[in-house]
Amino acid sequence: MFFRRGMISGLSVLAFGIYLLAQEASTGIIEGTVKDSSGAVVPGVTVTVKSITTGFTATAISNDTGYYRIEQLPVGTYEVRAELTGFAPVRQAKLKLQVGQKLTIDLTLGVAGQAETVTVTSEAPVVETSKTQVSSIVSDSAVANLPVNGRNFIDFVLLTPGVTRDAGRSGDISFAGQRGTLNSLQIDGTDNNNTFFGQTLGRTGSGRAPYQFSQDAVQEFQVNTSTYSAELGRAGGAVINVVTKSGTNDFHGSIFEFYRDRALNANSFFNNQIGRRKPAYHFNQFGGNIGGPIAKNKAFFFFDYDGQRNNNPQVVIFGGRPFPTDAASQQAAGQLAKYETTYNRTFNQDVYLTKVDAQLGESNRLSGRWNSQRFTGRNLENSGQTSAEEHSGNSLVKTDTITLSLNSIITPRFLNEARYQWARDKEPGTANSDVPEAIIQQGGLTVVNIGRNNFSPRETTIKRNQVIDNIALLRGNHAVRFGVDYNHDRIKNFFPGLFGGQYTFSSLANFANRVPLQYVQAFAGANTDGPLAFPNSSDFSAFIQDDWKASRRLTLNFGLRYDFQLLRNPGVKNSDSQLLAAGIDTSRVPRDKNNFGPRFGLAWSPREKFVVRGGYGIFYGRTPAIMLAQAFTQNGISVSSVTFRGAAMPTYPNRFDSIPSGGSPATPNLYFFNRDYVNPYTQQASLGFEFEVAQNTAFNISYLMVKGTHLTRTRDINLLAPVRTVVVLRGEGAAEYFRFPGPQNNPTRPFTNFGRLSEYESNSNSFYNGLILQLTRHYAQNFQAMISYTVSKAIDDNPDATSVVAFNSGDDAKMVQNPFNMRDDRSVSVVDQRQRLAISGIWDLNYLHDGAPPAARALLNHWQVSGIITIQSGRPYSGVLGTDLNNDSNRFTDRTPGQGRNTHAGDNFAGLDLRVTRYILLGERLKLQLIGEAFNLFNRTNFAVYNNTEYSLVGTELVRRADFGTPRDTFDPRIFQLAAKILF
């Protein structure tokens, strides 16, 4: 009902013309003061801005203080013209407006009778004197010309300060010490986040789908790191605002192909160590786009296609060798030999974008965009040297986003927009086999896994409807904006863990004789949906914002935002008497209704080209629906896992159609929300200054503080209080630790009917201090550059919203060592990046002019060099034991006794990515680009993973491992890539 009302409300807005302001996420603002030649302010001046590429115009009238402001301007290049009877008009041309930018253009009218004054600039002012937030722009030239491995434009975010990779989750990016689940990606002003996994739609960059939007379809984007305005929310970290390309009055486009192969790449460090050749590899990306006018100055189109074909081999090598020589073992080895073959893993994708913009009269602008992604990851469902091809399956991603927006200017002081989005993110996984999974072991090691892997086929699908309504009112020196945003996600999650059955054979001989050690199969509970869940999530937000131009040199920003996330109740209540006595209700999710976030910002410019800016705000994040999905299915009723042994087992490779007698139902492990659970939030504060150090070059220094509160964690509450225990470290003496009561590897559970009771709690905290230095040079005299340096420290007590699978190694490692003393885990965060330097630049080598010999001009001109240098300190990690010493059923959190979390650090990282481009002019408006790119040009070995097992348990003693801290994996070696591109 709530959703239907929201849709009706949104359609009513469109129908009756209650048009609403575009968010700064997709547009920009031009403002300033008009004066006469004596310096006095001039009211009543008509100020008109006009897009040079599309002819779009907008008008404002300067007020009593000479101040004018024009909002909801599409990014692009503009000219500004000011006119008033009795004065000579003034025109300023070639002003580049970027996404989310407040461009201050002060104008001086000439004396009547003089010729029109024309000021020509190639770039906008380099210092934004009215910007209050901590943010950076990745410009159109950077997106188009810098090298990026894999062509995922989001990787350019790493050029900005305060940013690093989220070491705890592949593909995520951490801002200001916060986990990737707290970020938000906005594309053309609409929500582009996967609310189930807490990542972007399509889960791009997570090792599967490479990107959702083509790099060539992205115009530019803004990275808001801190103290951004109340218009932006649903993020405790950063908000990334992306604008896609549009057509113009001129036809333009490109055709491209990128190619790489094994012969172009260096071998990996570990392959060289063992004398292994480079594996087969083929990578190809291709596509093109075209844009232009449908009707000049009225309507425009843009179309883009991007394809990728990427093949990687998966080598299968049996474990447990040498095999026994008895006849049964050799028979099994012969039967399994067909599985020890290399198979292909593919990363194939096609992405399409179509966009139409139309100017409807002088006051209305309509825009529509459709983006489609189709990804097929063959054999990506499971991998590894002991996983046969039939044990895998295809990972598929199908995303579609359709957005519509209508911008209107009711009067120059009343600006409105209506925006609607429909989106679908469908991510099924198929199975290569329907035969039950079989794990064949020998001597305690896995020889090979065959059959259907234990969680496929699966599916996670999100269908979204989003309506955004905002209004802007300009009153004097105040620009007041307010609006609402309703986002409804219908989510389907099907994850049939172990429903296909799983056999375990303890030896090759037992496999030959078809005598399994055990058989496990999961079944749906009576009158339940079993592993099928519909964890729907809805977001409602409202904000009010006042940008007050208190004086020509002081801008104040006051805002208030309200966020409410409505998670669907699981509905199935486990009525176990122990749970009821403890007040545990598996059927509900608490409603957090008081999420009011005040925002304040200031920008003070005591002199020209210098600004002091600061701010403070409270920013609320979301709860990923993957947590809710587990509460739907892992309640001890919807799904039951049963272990069969001896005569109760079926004959391999059969499975049961329904639950039989004779098995041993596994003790249920539950997931549920704490009764006091609330959404996470951060408090962000910043203070800094920016000034122009040279023409087109600005330097910024800022201090950034981010405090995370009510951050999410998963905690096992079904344990007795631990007792102080002593263990001997061989050759080093005794050490104390806390051990949970009960038999080894089987802790005593106070809730005797259950195993783990995994409670979602919101009691984790974090604290980040960062010093940010940034030097930005806008493109001028054939050169542009950005240098970002961050020195920071991130501390937390191990928050993570994605520990959702009990006894899974990756998820278990995200939990605290001692659930009774969570402060014991307070230390530097896994996303702590003490120092990080990112340098990027573009240099056009066009210095020979008409006076030079033609041969020299042809040979030496039309070259471009661009590159990215990244240097960063090593990432922290903990020394662990690899055994469940404290007896809490989680062996992945047991640290060396007496050591804190993340007390060790890896090696520093350094890399240079380089692109060299040669332009060949084929005609007046046609040119060919020949491109060579090298990633990690100097082939530096940058280690990524280290052996973190510091001690092994031998009898009753802990023995230090000699291989502790040794590298286990690296980032990519040198990769060369060749490309050709035709632009017209």
Side-chain angles (χ1 to χ4, degrees), residues 191-269:
D191 192 322
N192 204 71
N193 300 288
N194 182 302
T195 53
F196 184 85
F197 292 106
Q199 297 176 303
T200 62
L201 289 181
R203 303 183 69 196
T204 57
S206 60
R208 295 181 180 181
Y211 46 83
Q212 184 198 3
F213 283 76
S214 169
Q215 180 185 355
D216 280 18
V218 173
Q219 177 76 11
E220 62 186 28
F221 59 93
Q222 177 191 45
V223 182
N224 294 274
T225 308
S226 176
T227 60
Y228 36 86
S229 75
E231 295 177 61
L232 305 174
R234 296 179 184 147
V239 175
I240 305 169
N241 302 326
V242 180
V243 174
T244 58
K245 290 180 179 179
S246 296
T248 67
N249 277 326
D250 296 318
F251 284 101
H252 57 86
S254 66
I255 301 172
F256 67 88
E257 180 160 357
F258 289 78
Y259 171 81
R260 63 176 74 161
D261 193 81
R262 174 174 62 180
L264 300 175
N265 302 337
N267 204 358
S268 71
F269 173 83

Side-chain angles (χ1 to χ4, degrees), residues 161-182:
V163 181
T164 187
R165 296 281 188 189
D166 187 340
R169 200 178 192 203
S170 175
D172 285 7
I173 295 176
S174 169
F175 294 83
Q178 302 306 305
R179 305 307 302 272
T181 52
L182 290 180

Side-chain angles (χ1 to χ4, degrees), residues 267-332:
N267 204 358
S268 71
F269 173 83
F270 290 107
N271 277 352
N272 285 331
Q273 270 198 334
I274 62 177
R276 181 184 294 171
R277 296 181 58 193
K278 291 182 290 185
Y281 178 66
H282 183 76
F283 182 96
N284 187 244
Q285 287 182 287
F286 48 89
N289 56 67
I290 186 171
I294 299 173
K296 188 173 182 180
N297 291 336
K298 298 294 184 183
F300 313 91
F301 78 94
F302 180 80
F303 173 78
D304 179 87
Y305 165 74
D306 190 309
Q308 173 177 299
R309 303 295 182 265
N310 184 1
N311 295 318
N312 284 282
Q314 173 62 64
V315 179
V316 178
I317 302 175
F318 287 176
R321 283 194 169 101
F323 296 151
T325 58
D326 62 278
S329 296
Q330 291 300 308
Q331 177 187 348

Side-chain angles (χ1 to χ4, degrees), residues 299-511:
F300 313 91
F301 78 94
F302 180 80
F303 173 78
D304 179 87
Y305 165 74
D306 190 309
Q308 173 177 299
R309 303 295 182 265
N310 184 1
N311 295 318
N312 284 282
Q314 173 62 64
V315 179
V316 178
I317 302 175
F318 287 176
R321 283 194 169 101
F323 296 151
T325 58
D326 62 278
S329 296
Q330 291 300 308
Q331 177 187 348
Q335 293 173 346
L336 296 171
K338 63 182 180 180
Y339 298 110
E340 195 174 20
T341 58
T342 298
Y343 58 89
N344 274 335
R345 304 169 71 229
T346 67
F347 300 78
N348 296 340
Q349 178 167 276
D350 297 291
V351 176
Y352 308 85
L353 180 139
T354 300
K355 189 175 182 181
V356 175
D357 302 273
Q359 188 67 31
L360 308 178
E362 296 182 357
S363 301
N364 300 287
R365 186 174 73 255
L366 179 67
S367 180
R369 170 183 55 78
W370 168 65
N371 189 84
S372 178
Q373 171 195 23
R374 297 293 183 267
F375 171 77
T376 300
R378 183 182 174 192
N379 294 324
L380 297 189
E381 283 294 276
N382 214 323
S383 61
Q385 292 187 347
T386 59
S387 180
E389 182 175 10
E390 75 167 26
H391 191 246
S392 188
N394 297 339
S395 300
L396 308 177
V397 178
K398 301 177 182 179
T399 70
D400 292 277
T401 57
I402 298 174
T403 64
L404 296 171
S405 64
L406 179 62
N407 296 60
S408 296
I409 304 173
I410 307 303
T411 73
R413 301 183 184 277
F414 180 15
L415 311 173
N416 315 303
E417 182 197 57
R419 191 182 294 274
Y420 170 76
Q421 177 186 211
W422 178 87
R424 179 186 62 183
D425 186 348
K426 185 174 184 178
E427 301 191 28
T430 67
N432 287 345
S433 171
D434 193 43
V435 175
E437 181 179 46
I439 303 171
I440 297 99
Q441 300 173 335
Q442 182 65 48
L445 300 176
T446 298
V447 176
V448 66
N449 295 332
I450 61 176
R452 186 174 116 187
N453 73 67
N454 58 52
F455 56 83
S456 296
R458 60 167 184 87
E459 180 185 346
T460 302
T461 297
I462 298 176
K463 293 183 179 179
R464 169 173 301 160
N465 285 277
Q466 182 183 16
V467 178
I468 302 172
D469 292 355
N470 299 326
I471 294 176
L473 300 174
L474 305 181
R475 290 292 183 268
N477 290 350
H478 293 266
V480 180
R481 298 191 294 276
F482 54 92
V484 295
D485 182 346
Y486 178 67
N487 191 91
H488 177 69
D489 283 354
R490 292 167 294 166
I491 303 174
K492 171 187 176 182
N493 185 62
F494 178 66
F495 195 82
L498 293 173
F499 271 72
Q502 179 192 77
Y503 288 89
T504 300
F505 294 90
S506 60
S507 68
L508 288 168
N510 284 341
F511 177 74

Side-chain angles (χ1 to χ4, degrees), residues 663-888:
S664 301
T667 304
N669 299 291
L670 272 57
Y671 281 86
F672 57 93
F673 285 83
N674 179 279
R675 71 184 73 180
D676 297 320
Y677 180 86
V678 294
N679 282 75
Y681 74 86
T682 61
Q683 298 178 71
Q684 303 180 6
S686 64
L687 181 65
F689 59 87
E690 183 179 12
F691 59 93
E692 185 174 302
V693 295
Q695 187 176 9
N696 299 301
T697 305
F699 176 76
N700 171 63
I701 180 170
S702 297
Y703 164 73
L704 177 61
M705 183 281 294
V706 179
K707 183 180 184 299
T709 304
H710 290 314
L711 303 180
T712 303
R713 75 160 95 249
T714 304
R715 185 169 71 97
D716 180 8
I717 65 169
N718 196 15
L719 292 166
L720 293 175
V723 295
R724 192 181 299 272
T725 311
V726 176
V727 66
V728 175
L729 279 65
R730 182 178 295 178
E732 302 177 50
E736 289 188 343
Y737 71 103
F738 285 91
R739 185 183 186 279
F740 294 91
Q744 188 64 37
N745 300 317
N746 185 20
T748 300
R749 302 287 190 180
F751 293 82
T752 56
N753 296 330
F754 302 95
R756 287 191 192 175
L757 293 181
S758 297
E759 184 175 67
Y760 297 132
E761 300 178 340
S762 50
N763 52 14
S764 189
N765 300 278
S766 69
F767 196 82
Y768 174 92
N769 283 284
L771 180 66
I772 291 172
L773 293 88
Q774 186 173 40
L775 185 73
T776 304
R777 174 182 169 83
H778 289 191
Y779 186 83
Q781 289 81 48
N782 298 318
F783 182 71
Q784 79 171 50
M786 182 164 66
I787 302 174
S788 300
Y789 173 70
T790 306
V791 56
S792 63
K793 187 174 184 178
I795 297 174
D796 61 36
D797 52 11
N798 209 13
D800 198 293
T802 58
S803 180
V804 294
V805 180
F807 305 104
N808 173 273
S809 60
D811 287 29
D812 273 9
K814 300 171 184 177
M815 301 175 74
V816 295
Q817 176 179 245
N818 183 355
F820 282 78
N821 182 15
M822 293 171 291
R823 190 170 178 80
D824 185 51
D825 270 43
R826 183 172 175 81
S827 183
V828 293
S829 172
V830 294
V831 297
D832 180 60
Q833 186 80 76
R834 200 58 52 88
Q835 296 187 72
R836 191 172 194 278
L837 174 67
I839 304 172
S840 61
I842 302 170
W843 183 21
D844 287 317
L845 306 179
N846 292 322
Y847 292 99
L848 298 180
H849 301 291
D850 292 340
R857 293 201 307 272
L859 180 63
L860 300 178
N861 272 351
H862 308 302
W863 288 86
Q864 183 188 82
V865 178
S866 63
I868 298 172
I869 298 174
T870 304
I871 303 173
Q872 60 191 31
S873 55
R875 305 298 288 268
Y877 64 92
S878 300
V880 299
L881 304 178
T883 186
D884 188 17
L885 187 69
N886 70 359
N887 201 39
D888 66 346

Side-chain angles (χ1 to χ4, degrees), residues 26 35 61 103 135 138 148 233 315 389 393 449 566 668 670-671 759 860 920 922 940 951:
S26 58
K35 300 176 291 185
I61 307 295
L103 187 56
S135 64
V138 179
V148 58
V315 179
E389 182 175 10
N449 295 332
L566 176 64
L670 272 57
Y671 281 86
E759 184 175 67
L860 300 178
I920 300 175
L922 303 178
R940 185 181 192 272
Y951 288 83

Side-chain angles (χ1 to χ4, degrees), residues 17-60:
I18 307 177
Y19 315 121
L20 308 163
L21 167 71
Q23 292 181 323
E24 290 184 16
S26 58
T27 61
I29 296 169
I30 294 179
E31 63 179 7
T33 303
V34 184
K35 300 176 291 185
D36 62 18
S37 56
S38 69
V41 299
V42 183
V45 178
T46 300
V47 181
T48 303
V49 300
K50 180 179 180 181
S51 169
I52 293 175
T53 58
T54 66
F56 167 75
T57 62
T59 302

